[in-house]
Amino acid sequence: MDGWWTPLIVVAVMVGVAWAWTMVYRPLLQVRRLVKELAEGKEPSGFVARGAWGMEEVIVNLDKLSERIHGLSSRAEREKYNLRTIIGSLSEGVVITDPEGIIRLANRSFLEMFGLPSFPIGQTFMETTRLPEVARAVELTHAEGGGRSLEIRRPTPEQPEGRIFAVNFAPIVEGGSGERSGVVTVFYDLSKIRKLENVRSEFITNLSHELRTPLSILAGYLETMEDPAMLKGAERREVMEVLRRNCERLTGLVNDLLELSRIESGQVQIRVQPRRPAEILEEVRSDWKRAFAGKRVRVELECEEGLPEVNSDPLRIGQVFANLMDNALRFAPPGSLVSLGARLSGRQVEFFVRDEGEGIPDDKIGRIFERFFRVDEGRTRERGGTGLGLSIVKHLVHLHGGGVRVESQQGRGTTMFFSINPSR
Ligand SMILES: Nc1ncnc2c1ncn2[C@@H]1O[C@H](COP(=O)(O)OP(=O)(O)OP(=O)(O)O)[C@@H](O)[C@H]1O
Ligand SMILES: [Mg+2]
């Protein structure tokens, strides 16, 4: 009789233990695992949502919470990535420093501006740029807040006159607390803008110079003409000739300038057609025969056999040759030879005009395609040159997809080359 309930108790204890295991202990283990995974920033692994005393609800809510945290942190990662991509692709140099002035982020443009071999993360501005004024401005921006800017000049081995940068500094202010947590520094390279400004002012100086000479000659002679008694017969004819020549010079200058600005601003469209190089050269020779004969200069053709047809706008290529022939005529001594030719150069056809004139000094040869450049200012101006011809040539050849070059030996002569594309 006694003892019949012993198995009952055993069964009851076993049921109790099983219940406690599934409804209390296992959910507790799960809560512990979930909390640990959350704390470690891991994505929570799977779980069984069963438990006593609201345990089930705790687990479900913990899981939701972990999903939200995970979502937020991947959004933050994405935004960080976007920010890095944007900063990385800027042409300005960008550097972010922390409150201690240590560089935490820098982009590739900054690296290139300062010729750094690698990202200077963990270094200070002073170590990286060796510019004390920049390091000081970063410190002040962090300490005092507010934006500030600087202009600095930094000599480089390639540019001894230095690259010029505008540098802007802005504190990073935390949204909630308003505390300053670092500084953003942005470097703009002003060298190109400064160079353009110099080119512009040089252009205006050159232009004024060119205009002043014929204008003052005109003014002087017009004054003389106010008293007709002063001018008689041959003298009068001579004055009229000077006036006419200087008016022509002014018109030529204005026309060349207009042409250059039309080409440079892309208003000139070329209309190419296939032409045989020999045919082009023949035309040039017959156009210029008379002018060269007047100076006793022979013109010979040197056209390679079997050249392909070229893509040429007859009007524009005519203009190119007119400028080259005009120079050759001006520099070729009487009794000398001017050769006019074409040959194959890679895929392109290269035309040339060679004279036996005085040549161009080595130190000037690199500049002759610049606007207004003349080797011998005074003498060339006397001969009527304004230094615009070759820059027009260069632009017209570029419109044809070709290039220009020059070879010259002082005292021996000059060869001007330009290449254009074959039509097929
Ligand atoms: N064949 C050449 N031989 C020697 N020097 C030359 C020759 N062609 C050009 N030059 C030099 O290059 C300079 C620039 O030539 P460019 O044709 O641009 O100007 P220009 O002939 O002086 O004036 P423009 O052509 O505008 O009337 C010339 O002033 C001259 O000093
Ligand atoms: Mg010229």
Side-chain angles (χ1 to χ4, degrees):
M1 178 67 197
D2 49 303
W4 64 267
W5 42 268
T6 317
L8 213 62
I9 290 173
V10 171
V11 169
V13 168
M14 280 171 67
V15 168
V17 169
W19 181 86
W21 168 258
T22 36
M23 302 308 276
V24 181
Y25 188 65
R26 204 165 62 155
L28 256 179
L29 283 181
Q30 280 192 0
V31 169
R32 203 169 77 179
R33 182 165 49 84
L34 271 174
V35 171
K36 188 162 176 267
E37 284 170 348
L38 274 182
E40 288 169 357
K42 289 185 191 155
E43 196 171 354
S45 37
F47 63 93
V48 184
R50 276 187 75 203
W53 308 310
M55 211 56 123
E56 206 174 300
E57 205 183 326
V58 171
I59 294 174
V60 169
N61 283 335
L62 265 178
D63 187 54
K64 279 188 188 153
L65 185 69
S66 95
E67 246 170 50
R68 282 198 60 183
I69 292 175
H70 189 66
L72 280 176
S73 70
S74 54
R75 206 169 101 191
E77 274 302 317
R78 244 190 344 265
E79 277 170 10
K80 202 161 125 191
Y81 173 78
N82 288 346
L83 185 70
R84 276 177 188 274
T85 316
I86 292 168
I87 290 180
S89 62
L90 289 176
S91 58
E92 289 81 18
V94 180
V95 180
I96 294 177
T97 39
D98 68 12
E100 276 72 49
I102 306 292
I103 297 176
R104 291 293 163 211
L105 187 86
N107 67 356
R108 195 157 288 283
S109 302
F110 174 72
L111 249 66
E112 283 162 8
M113 282 174 177
F114 287 88
L116 302 174
S118 59
F119 288 94
I121 310 301
Q123 296 178 16
T124 62
F125 253 117
M126 195 53 207
E127 289 165 335
T128 314
T129 62
R130 310 242 163 256
L131 293 168
E133 61 271 49
V134 173
R136 177 97 190 103
V138 171
E139 261 175 45
L140 281 177
T141 307
H142 180 67
E144 297 172 5
R148 40 179 47 75
S149 71
L150 272 184
E151 198 173 300
I152 54 165
R153 189 183 283 270
R154 188 178 166 271
T156 61
E158 315 84 60
Q159 287 164 293
E161 75 281 11
R163 273 172 90 173
I164 306 163
F165 296 104
V167 198
N168 285 355
F169 305 85
I172 304 171
V173 182
E174 292 297 316
S177 60
E179 237 174 71
R180 290 191 286 274
S181 62
V183 176
V184 184
T185 309
V186 183
F187 294 81
Y188 302 89
D189 191 346
L190 296 182
S191 313
K192 275 191 202 134
I193 297 172
R194 285 292 146 83
K195 211 165 160 191
L196 283 178
E197 282 170 1
N198 287 346
V199 168
R200 194 181 56 183
S201 80
E202 203 176 292
F203 176 77
I204 292 171
T205 313
N206 283 328
L207 180 58
S208 325
H209 203 70
E210 289 307 321
L211 289 172
R212 207 169 49 199
T213 321
L215 282 176
S216 59
I217 294 174
L218 285 179
Y221 276 89
L222 283 173
E223 215 169 279
T224 328
M225 286 182 78
E226 272 173 10
D227 181 3
M230 284 185 66
L231 297 170
K232 294 177 217 79
E235 205 182 347
R236 187 183 156 82
R237 252 198 316 280
E238 195 184 308
V239 169
M240 293 308 278
E241 179 55 26
V242 173
L243 291 179
R244 191 189 55 77
R245 215 173 37 240
N246 280 285
C247 279
E248 264 175 18
R249 195 163 149 193
L250 279 175
T251 316
L253 172 64
V254 171
N255 285 344
D256 278 356
L257 277 173
L258 278 177
E259 181 70 4
L260 251 185
S261 83
R262 268 165 36 88
I263 303 173
E264 283 183 355
S265 60
Q267 287 175 47
V268 170
Q269 302 276 324
I270 56 162
R271 269 183 229 108
V272 294
Q273 58 188 68
R275 306 261 341 252
R276 283 193 312 112
E279 193 186 334
I280 298 178
L281 292 173
E282 273 301 342
E283 247 175 54
V284 176
R285 179 164 64 171
S286 70
D287 286 351
W288 285 84
K289 210 157 65 191
R290 209 175 252 279
F292 277 81
K295 209 180 160 186
R296 289 193 300 109
V297 175
R298 277 178 303 131
V299 180
E300 276 185 6
L301 290 194
E302 270 183 39
C303 189
E304 222 173 69
E305 295 278 316
L307 288 176
E309 290 191 325
V310 289
N311 267 336
S312 128
D313 178 327
L315 183 77
R316 300 301 178 180
I317 290 299
Q319 232 176 321
V320 167
F321 271 114
N323 276 300
L324 299 183
M325 293 300 272
D326 179 57
N327 287 349
L329 180 61
R330 203 176 316 147
F331 290 97
S336 68
L337 172 71
V338 164
S339 313
L340 198 57
R343 61 192 188 193
L344 205 60
S345 165
R347 263 200 76 244
Q348 293 188 310
V349 173
E350 188 169 61
F351 291 87
F352 61 87
V353 177
R354 185 190 310 125
D355 65 58
E356 298 173 337
E358 64 195 54
I360 304 166
D362 290 351
D363 60 330
K364 304 276 171 59
I365 203 163
R367 301 194 55 195
I368 61 164
F369 292 100
E370 285 176 21
R371 281 186 301 200
F372 292 117
F373 183 80
R374 283 169 305 210
V375 171
D376 184 337
E377 284 276 324
R379 263 198 325 147
T380 326
R381 192 181 298 128
E382 262 169 42
R383 299 185 205 176
T386 51
L388 292 175
L390 288 180
S391 31
I392 295 178
V393 165
K394 180 179 75 178
H395 282 102
L396 290 175
V397 171
H398 284 173
L399 282 181
H400 280 79
V404 288
R405 67 186 185 92
V406 53
E407 280 174 9
S408 186
Q409 264 187 313
Q410 243 187 317
R412 304 278 297 273
T414 304
T415 314
M416 305 293 309
F417 300 88
F418 72 91
S419 51
I420 50 177
N421 292 320
S423 55
R424 265 172 289 128

